[in-house]
Amino acid sequence: MAAKYITIAREIKKRIISQQYAANEPLPDQFALAAEFSSSRMTIQQAMRQLIVEGLVYTRQGQGTFIRKNFLQLSQWDLSGSDYFGATKTWEHLGTVTSRVVHFELRFPNEKEQASLMINADAPIYDFIRLRLLNGEPMSLDSTVMPMNLVPGLTKNHLEGSVFQYLQETLGLKIMGSYRVVRALKPNALDREHLVCEQTDPVLEVEQVIYLEDGTPLEYAHCHYRYDHGGIVIVNNG
């Protein structure tokens, strides 16, 4: 589960992008935000620092925190490389996120999947491919495997909705974080078919392992994105 300041920063970011705050007015002060989110001022300060690093807001001494005038020039499709909370949550502020199931089966893992998920060869896994769409437009093609014993009862209906909602709200699983490798690739046949790209168009691949709160690998996936649909944003708060 994300730290509270991250959750607050996400909500404020959502409001900024949807223009719920006036561009020429300061954001609500820290006391007001702390009261709204039932948090401390320190947590609000951390959330604001997150948004400053992401380039959405800036502060004026004694005047408050303001939205950057050029924030809309940032790609609204960009993905966070240092945080993960599912495609549905990532793009929900931009419209309707839907999923089309391309492939779904139950099988045994290969050696790479065994190593990535820390499971034995005889531990069954779900293997599914989903096309993720935003307002009907193809955004990503995600190939995912998950251990069946961690995600009992996974169905096509879950895949067509939000898998992470099922994991967190129904099964009560808590996500700790992810390990990601980002690379550029030539599109394969599935990419060309479902992402509507040419053979000469590069695709951005995010290879990732998602971990539960106790460090157990939950998901091993390869997510392919069209090259012209944003990039990966890395935020370092160190």
Side-chain angles (χ1 to χ4, degrees), residues 25-224:
E25 298 289 337
L27 297 179
D29 63 37
Q30 293 179 7
F31 292 102
L33 290 172
E36 178 184 355
F37 290 104
S38 301
S39 68
S40 66
R41 283 188 62 203
M42 182 177 296
T43 300
I44 297 299
Q45 289 169 356
Q46 287 179 297
M48 288 303 170
R49 282 197 293 268
Q50 174 79 13
L51 296 174
I52 289 171
V53 171
E54 292 185 24
L56 270 74
V57 302
Y58 67 98
T59 59
R60 289 179 183 169
Q61 188 67 32
Q63 298 183 47
T65 302
F66 294 81
I67 301 170
R68 286 192 178 277
K69 289 183 172 61
N70 67 339
F71 84 94
L72 282 176
Q73 296 174 9
L74 301 173
S75 172
Q76 296 181 8
W77 291 340
D78 285 344
L79 303 168
S80 171
S82 50
D83 191 17
Y84 184 78
F85 42 95
T88 301
K89 196 71 175 175
T90 299
W91 294 317
E92 66 177 359
H93 63 282
L94 298 176
T96 303
V97 180
T98 55
S99 299
R100 184 182 305 158
V101 180
V102 176
H103 171 82
F104 185 30
E105 70 170 328
L106 188 65
R107 62 172 175 81
F108 294 110
N110 59 35
E111 290 186 2
K112 175 64 175 176
E113 292 161 346
Q114 292 170 45
S116 298
L117 295 174
M118 298 174 59
I119 56 177
N120 296 324
D122 59 355
I125 58 172
Y126 298 108
D127 175 352
F128 53 92
I129 300 175
R130 295 188 295 170
L131 176 64
R132 314 308 298 275
L133 304 104
L134 175 63
N135 298 325
E137 181 177 357
M139 295 295 294
S140 71
L141 187 65
D142 303 345
S143 302
T144 307
V145 293
M146 289 181 170
M148 187 184 72
N149 71 308
L150 292 180
V151 193
L154 187 67
T155 67
K156 185 179 179 182
N157 286 338
H158 296 131
L159 301 185
E160 291 173 341
S162 171
V163 170
F164 274 78
Q165 183 177 4
Y166 174 64
L167 296 175
Q168 295 175 315
E169 296 182 8
T170 303
L171 298 182
L173 300 177
K174 295 183 179 180
I175 310 301
M176 178 182 69
S178 63
Y179 174 82
R180 289 171 160 178
V181 178
V182 182
R183 59 176 67 90
L185 298 176
K186 294 180 179 179
N188 58 34
L190 281 178
D191 295 328
R192 295 194 297 273
E193 178 183 356
H194 296 286
L195 294 179
V196 195
C197 56
E198 302 295 331
Q199 191 167 1
T200 55
D201 291 335
V203 294
L204 184 67
E205 178 183 78
V206 179
E207 179 184 4
Q208 63 189 22
V209 179
I210 306 298
Y211 294 92
L212 294 177
E213 194 173 44
D214 63 0
T216 302
L218 169 68
E219 168 192 299
Y220 177 51
H222 293 79
C223 305
H224 287 189

Side-chain angles (χ1 to χ4, degrees), residues 6-24:
I6 291 290
T7 302
I8 294 172
R10 289 176 189 163
E11 176 58 29
I12 295 174
K13 180 177 181 179
K14 177 181 176 181
R15 296 177 184 181
I16 290 172
I17 291 175
S18 62
Q19 302 183 54
Q20 294 182 42
Y21 294 130
N24 58 345

